[in-house]
Amino acid sequence: MPERSGRETSSIVFKNRVAYIVDSDASYRRRFALALRHQGLETRAFSGGGDLIEEASYLPAGCVLLAVRAGEGDGLETIRALLAQRSDMPVIVMRVDPTIREAVQALRAGAVDCLAIPCPMAKVRLALDYAYEILPAKVAHQQFIGEAAALRAHLTPREEDVLKRIVAGMTNRQIAHDLEIGVRTVEMHRGNIMQKLRMDNLVALIRFATLAGIAGSDEDAA
């Protein structure tokens, strides 16, 4: 697989900017959606995070404005569940008088910003402008993960074993000893891995494995 360049990321252009509003307050949700449409954004509103997550797989990439009301918890599980399904969707959390601790927790969970309700539209636009700025890179990464998973599916279980040990920094001889196979067999597996993953050098293979979440465990490297 060719490595992604900045040019590839910048080539991802969104004809329309979509904002997904999640808010249990129906009145505020409608007013907020109208205000965003007046700003030239397309909007779709949901009364709860579960409704958005249920449809997330089928939605165009966009930014999520997640309102967390009193009595609704901290919203962290919603953020994590959504990003686990759609890591390409920047999430902006909105709370009434958020504390520093609540803002930090939201950011650590994966949100890109935390705003106070009510929030001046100027601040909302600043947060959205940043979210849309990073959206192409997030979409490119999500596409890479999908492509990586498709390529990785072609590896045999033994090739997976060898790949994890390559990522752990083991030499061919160490891998052979660890898996109780011959060095030439390891070399054959390495060649097959490079071919199946469309890599032409070790640096590209390590980068691929890192971005795809393939890592050698401590046990592998022992």
Side-chain angles (χ1 to χ4, degrees), residues 12-90:
I12 298 176
V13 178
F14 298 95
K15 183 178 180 181
N16 301 310
R17 288 185 167 187
V18 184
Y20 299 105
I21 303 168
V22 181
D23 194 343
S24 59
D25 186 325
S27 177
Y28 189 89
R29 189 171 67 235
R30 286 193 295 269
R31 294 198 307 272
F32 193 43
L34 180 60
L36 290 179
R37 287 197 292 272
H38 285 163
Q39 295 288 317
L41 276 65
E42 290 188 8
T43 65
R44 180 165 178 185
F46 299 84
S47 60
D51 296 331
L52 172 60
I53 292 169
E54 189 174 321
E55 297 187 36
S57 297
Y58 311 102
L59 297 174
C63 299
V64 177
L65 291 150
L66 173 64
V68 181
R69 299 287 178 176
E72 296 180 349
D74 53 22
L76 302 183
E77 288 305 314
T78 298
I79 297 170
R80 295 187 184 108
L82 175 62
L83 293 178
Q85 189 172 346
R86 291 294 301 269
S87 63
D88 57 333
M89 293 253 205

Side-chain angles (χ1 to χ4, degrees), residues 161-162 165-166 168-183 186 190 219-222:
D161 291 338
V162 171
R165 285 160 175 78
I166 293 172
M170 299 175 70
T171 66
N172 286 353
R173 189 169 298 280
Q174 289 171 326
I175 295 172
H177 180 268
D178 198 44
L179 295 178
E180 298 181 345
I181 57 178
V183 174
V186 174
R190 286 185 73 134
E219 181 179 348
D220 291 336

Side-chain angles (χ1 to χ4, degrees), residues 129-214:
D129 286 345
Y130 172 71
Y132 288 121
E133 182 181 335
I134 65 176
L135 184 59
K138 284 184 169 290
V139 171
H141 183 71
Q142 182 82 356
Q143 291 174 349
F144 175 88
I145 296 300
E147 293 166 5
L151 292 176
R152 187 179 177 184
H154 294 297
L155 299 180
T156 66
R158 178 58 85 190
E159 288 166 352
E160 279 272 353
D161 291 338
V162 171
L163 175 58
K164 289 178 181 178
R165 285 160 175 78
I166 293 172
V167 175
M170 299 175 70
T171 66
N172 286 353
R173 189 169 298 280
Q174 289 171 326
I175 295 172
H177 180 268
D178 198 44
L179 295 178
E180 298 181 345
I181 57 178
V183 174
R184 288 188 178 277
T185 302
V186 174
E187 292 172 349
M188 178 191 70
H189 286 315
R190 286 185 73 134
N192 290 340
I193 291 167
M194 299 294 280
Q195 182 178 27
K196 290 180 179 181
L197 298 184
R198 302 175 188 173
M199 298 290 122
D200 57 10
N201 60 72
L202 182 59
V203 173
L205 178 64
I206 298 299
R207 181 176 181 275
F208 170 94
T210 301
L211 292 174
I214 303 169

Side-chain angles (χ1 to χ4, degrees), residues 107-123:
L107 296 176
R108 286 179 174 172
V112 299
D113 208 339
C114 182
L115 305 178
I117 298 175
C119 184
M121 184 52 64
K123 287 189 176 181

